[in-house]
Structure formats: structure tokens, C-alpha cells
Amino acid sequence: MSEAEMDAKLAELDQLLNDPDTRMDPDRVWALLAELSGARLPQMAGC
């Protein structure tokens, strides 16, 4: 997954969870989390 794809999925997840005008869709939230959990995240410096 490219960084742009990851950013788009994180933005969608943020909107689903935090935007009061967006209908909560639990299936989509879980699908996004599953995709993101499989993505390779950069290591945090100093950890």
C-alpha cells in the first residue's frame, strides 16, 4: 500500500469515527482497520 493510499484510508476512517454528519458504518470501519493493520508502518524513531 502506498503512502497516499494509506493516508486516504486513514482520512476515511477518521471521518467515519469523528464526523457527526457521517453515518457510522461498522463494517467499513473494520474493513479499513484490517487493511491498515496489514500495511507496513514506518518505525518510530527512538522506540
Side-chain angles (χ1 to χ4, degrees):
M1 176 182 312
S2 72
E3 190 171 331
E5 290 171 321
M6 186 180 296
D7 288 344
K9 290 181 189 299
L10 286 170
E12 182 181 357
L13 182 61
D14 181 60
Q15 182 178 13
L16 285 168
L17 295 174
N18 297 311
D19 185 351
D21 296 326
T22 301
R23 184 182 155 271
M24 173 60 78
D25 182 354
D27 290 334
R28 184 62 185 148
V29 170
W30 285 113
L32 286 166
L33 288 171
E35 290 177 44
L36 290 166
S37 68
R40 188 170 200 166
L41 299 176
Q43 294 295 326
M44 294 178 58
C47 290

